[in-house]
Amino acid sequence: MFLEKIQYKQYTDEPRKWELAEIDLGRINLLVGKNSSGKSKTIAIINGLSILLSEFVKLPFTDGDYHVTFNLDEEHFRYELEYKDLKINKEKLYKDNSILIEREPDGSGKSLAYNGTYLEFKIPLDELKINRRDEIQYPYLEAFNFWARHVRKFDFNSPMGKNTLGYVDKVNKVEIDFNVKNTERLIDTFIKGKKKHGEVFLNKIIEDFNFIGFNITNIDFGSPLSVTFQVNNPNVEIVGLRIQEKDLPCMTDQNDMSTGMFRALSIIIHFIFYELENIPGCILIDDIGEGLDFERSTKLLQLLIRKAEENKLIQLIMSTNDRFVMNYVDLKYWQIIDREGNTIKYYNIRNSQKAFEDYKFTGLNNFDFFASEFFKKGFEK
Amino acid sequence: MKRIAFFVEGLTEQLFLIKFIEEAYAKSRIAIASIKGSGGNKTGISFTTITAASITAQTSYYILIVDCGGDANIKSYILDQRLSLISAAYSKIIGLRDVYPIARADIHKLTTGLYFQLPQTSVRIDFILSTMEVEAWFLSEHTHFNRIDSKLSPSVIHANLAFSPETDDMELRDTPAEDLHNSYRIVGKAYKKDNFYIQRTVNAIDYTELYFNTKPPSLIQLKTELDSFFI
């Protein structure tokens, strides 16, 4: 299942209102915009939707209005959710034009069961009906939950797990409680990947990390070399990642790696894990390449796009405001974000086809497509 | 000192232009600086000097040739560097690129697009489009084949590849670089977009022949620009 369109409003009748005009997403998307244009907000809203739909959580905001379209094997599911003051006023789910769920402001409503009949319900005002799963009665709900549980977000301007260590229970061999959404726990992903896929996993990491310009010959986990920990349980070992750089005589601990290097390593390890485990879903990366030099950030971007092009199970949504990163991404993947007051608008090859296609005749690079605002008016002066 | 800046799409154009200027014009009075532009950080493009200009008491002309690392960077780099070039007293800025990957049928659109919203105050900016690729110029200087290999000539190429660099219009060839490679392959040699191969072809070209018997209109445009600069 892919997220095809999303529109979002918040605090509609108030001065603090926010609106994301409808964005139609492709399988690979690069959100491009100035600072404070709404790139991170767009990513946060998609991630927020996934949190709402992934488990039984109370509404995280006091006010929200989502209009979302999902694509499941070319069938279109439309989901509408409006809530205010932590009470759901509207929740509707359609498959094309057929109603699957319809809910009233008092929590009552009807939902289509497997046998084609509508079953009535009444649930708490702050609880989503879409989260009330039942594989037999409502098999169609499973796909939404699966989508939501597989959306993962990376903040490339954050430490991305650099300060997070893991542990290994040497005696009890306790399995790590692994959650694919928890992208901050890189060490868990690495331990799990190494255990399941061994050398294949490690070699792929080394290969990709070298491709983007970090020359390493080995990667592993183990007790941090540069810090010590007091652990009460003698069976437990605190562990972190370590790499062997080609031009250094000893291994480098994760806390000694540069922030940019660790961020790149984190993305690569996660992507290889997804690839080997066939984990589908939506991957959100805010500020891709931040902290990396030009060559490495563009190489990383090329690598991720190539992986997403090859792996049809993945939907990739990234953001950047780095002009040089932009130049290396085909305009067909661009979503230009333009904020007018409280409204965020998107321009892409589908809704601004002529400008996107004519641009090649200007002889300018991609960054100027955005900087010159050619995407709005094309050759019109 | 008169100054002109060329922004070219790649190494091929850069190496050719250096050699053409050195061979066809008064070398002793010319200083050529070649640099390569590439992505930098968020604040600006970074430039690397490939060959520093050697300025002497006789130098009257200064030529800057920037390898922009791609056709789509030429106009962007020109716009980015325009004001500093104006303040450094440059009298002309020229962008040199292939028509390819734009289709031949869209050359007019490309020309119009290149001049779209292009500021022309203080210093004139012009574009030269080699049709379809700069290798069409190399093909058109057909005497060079013999210097690549003594067994290679326009008649051998015509017999093997059914086109003649001597009599046909090389700007009508859709893939001149491929034609050049296929021509060299007849005698077991190659042409690739790589320093060694480009330099070998550039060195084999007879610039007197090229200058006086220029056929491709785009090359004539380049010659005209250089002639007027060196007046």
Side-chain angles (χ1 to χ4, degrees):
Chain A
M1 177 179 266
F2 291 115
L3 181 61
E4 201 167 67
K5 292 177 183 173
I6 184 164
Q7 186 184 353
Y8 180 78
K9 290 180 205 166
Q10 206 175 26
Y11 309 118
T12 315
D13 303 321
E14 301 174 41
R16 58 174 172 163
K17 78 165 186 180
W18 263 104
E19 180 177 355
L20 268 70
E22 185 178 87
I23 174 170
D24 58 330
L25 295 155
R27 269 210 332 101
I28 300 172
N29 306 269
L30 182 69
L31 305 176
V32 167
K34 296 173 186 167
N35 286 332
S36 302
S37 59
K39 298 184 299 295
S40 299
K41 202 171 191 74
T42 305
I43 284 180
I45 283 164
I46 295 170
N47 192 49
L49 176 70
S50 82
I51 292 167
L52 266 180
L53 304 187
S54 63
E55 51 202 291
F56 184 70
V57 290
K58 297 290 180 191
L59 300 170
F61 306 110
T62 55
D63 194 306
D65 180 348
Y66 291 91
H67 285 236
V68 187
T69 305
F70 293 97
N71 183 325
L72 177 62
D73 300 330
E74 296 311 312
E75 289 186 319
H76 304 278
F77 291 83
R78 199 151 42 91
Y79 182 61
E80 296 171 5
L81 172 67
E82 291 175 25
Y83 61 93
K84 196 170 178 63
D85 300 328
L86 293 172
K87 288 176 187 163
I88 296 164
N89 293 325
K90 179 180 170 186
E91 187 182 11
K92 284 187 177 180
L93 179 65
Y94 302 85
K95 181 182 170 186
D96 296 321
N97 289 322
S98 311
I99 291 175
L100 300 177
I101 294 175
E102 189 169 38
R103 169 213 188 108
E104 301 301 325
D106 66 355
S108 68
K110 61 177 185 179
S111 54
L112 187 67
Y114 78 101
N115 59 5
T117 60
Y118 283 100
L119 299 181
E120 292 188 345
F121 64 81
K122 181 153 189 183
I123 59 175
L125 299 181
D126 60 352
E127 217 178 280
L128 296 178
K129 175 60 184 165
I130 200 168
N131 282 343
R132 290 263 176 140
R133 292 158 55 210
D134 181 330
E135 273 189 67
I136 294 173
Q137 290 293 343
Y138 313 116
Y140 53 84
L141 290 184
E142 295 304 306
F144 298 94
N145 181 265
F146 187 87
W147 173 83
R149 284 189 292 110
H150 288 82
V151 172
R152 49 269 194 205
K153 178 172 178 268
F154 297 90
D155 286 313
F156 218 89
N157 48 18
S158 77
M160 289 181 67
K162 187 171 184 291
N163 304 323
T164 307
L165 296 170
Y167 69 90
V168 177
D169 189 329
K170 291 176 282 190
V171 174
N172 298 317
K173 308 280 183 196
V174 179
E175 275 289 318
I176 295 163
D177 185 18
F178 180 76
N179 180 355
V180 73
K181 282 180 90 71
N182 194 347
T183 57
E184 286 286 312
R185 293 204 60 88
L186 174 65
I187 185 68
D188 293 350
T189 308
F190 183 81
I191 292 171
K192 198 172 172 67
K194 186 187 172 191
K195 190 177 172 187
K196 281 195 77 175
H197 304 284
E199 289 295 312
V200 175
F201 181 65
L202 302 180
N203 289 339
K204 276 179 174 282
I205 295 168
I206 293 167
E207 185 186 333
D208 283 354
F209 212 42
N210 276 279
F211 171 78
I212 68 163
F214 289 108
N215 291 320
I216 62 167
T217 54
N218 193 14
I219 180 164
D220 207 341
F221 67 90
S223 293
L225 303 167
S226 50
V227 280
T228 56
F229 295 92
Q230 291 284 337
V231 183
N232 293 332
N233 184 341
N235 299 329
V236 168
E237 182 186 5
I238 300 295
V239 293
L241 276 171
R242 51 174 71 160
I243 54 168
Q244 178 66 60
E245 293 184 71
K246 199 174 179 181
D247 56 353
L248 289 179
C250 56
M251 294 196 96
T252 306
D253 262 346
Q254 71 176 52
N255 60 317
D256 286 333
M257 292 180 206
S258 74
T259 312
M261 180 193 239
F262 190 85
R263 289 167 180 165
L265 186 62
S266 172
I267 287 280
I268 284 173
I269 289 173
H270 278 106
F271 265 71
I272 289 169
F273 184 74
Y274 303 153
E275 187 184 315
L276 293 174
E277 291 280 303
N278 283 319
I279 299 175
C282 180
I283 301 170
L284 306 165
I285 309 176
D286 198 10
D287 250 334
I288 179 71
E290 177 67 29
L292 287 175
D293 53 55
F294 161 72
E295 282 81 10
R296 285 172 173 141
S297 61
T298 49
K299 283 268 188 188
L300 178 65
L301 202 64
Q302 285 169 4
L303 179 75
L304 299 184
I305 288 177
R306 191 182 78 212
K307 283 176 181 289
E309 283 172 339
E310 288 168 357
N311 185 351
K312 307 293 181 205
L313 299 172
I314 280 177
Q315 183 176 34
L316 186 58
I317 303 172
M318 305 178 285
S319 75
T320 187
N321 65 355
D322 185 323
R323 60 188 289 190
F324 298 105
V325 165
M326 292 177 199
N327 285 338
Y328 281 82
V329 178
D330 196 313
L331 287 183
K332 69 184 176 189
Y333 297 137
W334 278 40
Q335 301 276 0
I336 300 176
I337 297 187
D338 189 46
R339 202 184 87 188
E340 289 173 16
N342 295 340
T343 302
I344 297 167
K345 288 184 177 173
Y346 304 89
Y347 295 81
N348 57 42
I349 197 158
R350 291 173 290 281
N351 66 16
S352 308
Q353 190 180 353
K354 185 156 173 53
F356 271 69
E357 287 179 353
D358 277 353
Y359 186 66
K360 60 179 179 284
F361 299 120
T362 65
L364 289 163
N365 61 26
N366 289 0
F367 171 73
D368 286 320
F369 180 57
F370 154 68
S372 67
E373 300 201 336
F374 188 89
F375 61 92
K376 283 187 182 172
K377 293 180 180 173
F379 280 120
E380 183 189 322
K381 285 194 178 176
Chain B
M1 195 184 313
K2 263 181 108 176
R3 293 172 189 265
I4 189 170
F6 285 91
F7 288 76
V8 303
E9 77 169 77
L11 183 64
T12 315
E13 291 77 6
Q14 191 176 46
L15 293 177
F16 167 75
L17 199 50
I18 292 168
K19 192 78 174 167
F20 183 42
I21 293 166
E22 284 178 348
E23 296 288 324
Y25 298 91
K27 197 172 175 177
S28 61
R29 299 178 63 201
I30 298 167
I32 301 175
S34 61
I35 62 173
K36 182 168 173 57
S38 61
N41 50 38
K42 287 187 180 181
T43 53
I45 301 159
S46 66
F47 291 100
T48 311
T49 300
I50 307 298
T51 317
S54 171
I55 299 172
T56 66
Q58 286 78 42
T59 306
S60 310
Y61 305 100
Y62 186 94
I63 296 156
L64 175 68
I65 305 175
V66 184
D67 171 359
C68 299
D71 52 45
N73 285 331
I74 294 175
K75 186 174 164 187
S76 292
Y77 282 14
I78 289 174
L79 293 175
D80 193 81
Q81 297 297 310
R82 183 180 150 266
L83 292 177
S84 58
L85 292 171
I86 290 170
S87 62
Y90 278 76
S91 56
K92 186 80 196 253
I93 300 169
I94 293 173
L96 170 59
R97 59 162 283 174
D98 295 341
V99 168
Y100 179 86
I102 304 294
R104 185 185 298 278
D106 290 328
I107 290 176
H108 176 68
K109 278 187 189 171
L110 176 60
T111 309
T112 309
L114 284 167
Y115 286 91
F116 177 69
Q117 293 184 340
L118 189 70
Q120 294 288 15
T121 50
S122 305
V123 171
R124 174 82 193 166
I125 303 168
D126 276 309
F127 290 94
I128 298 172
L129 301 176
S130 48
T131 311
M132 293 292 291
E133 298 167 302
V134 73
E135 283 80 3
W137 299 353
F138 305 167
L139 287 168
S140 75
E141 201 294 271
H142 55 86
T143 71
H144 96 270
F145 289 106
N146 187 252
R147 286 182 289 279
I148 294 292
D149 192 291
S150 58
K151 295 188 286 296
L152 197 57
S153 66
S155 56
V156 171
I157 293 167
H158 189 250
N160 282 272
L161 301 174
F163 77 92
S164 170
E166 188 173 12
T167 55
D168 296 347
D169 181 350
M170 290 301 98
E171 288 213 330
L172 294 179
R173 304 296 299 174
D174 286 335
T175 52
E178 198 180 313
D179 287 337
L180 198 61
H181 176 64
N182 290 338
S183 301
Y184 291 2
R185 271 175 61 99
I186 297 169
V187 291
K189 290 184 172 158
Y191 174 78
K192 295 177 188 172
K193 295 274 190 187
D194 179 273
N195 189 37
F196 167 80
Y197 296 96
I198 298 165
Q199 197 70 66
R200 183 176 64 180
T201 298
V202 161
N203 289 343
I205 287 171
D206 180 338
Y207 290 90
T208 308
E209 175 69 23
L210 193 79
Y211 185 87
F212 288 106
N213 294 315
T214 309
K215 285 185 226 160
S218 53
L219 184 54
I220 292 172
Q221 189 191 350
L222 173 65
K223 196 179 81 167
T224 308
E225 288 287 359
L226 286 168
D227 286 349
S228 60
F229 174 70
F230 287 120
I231 285 172

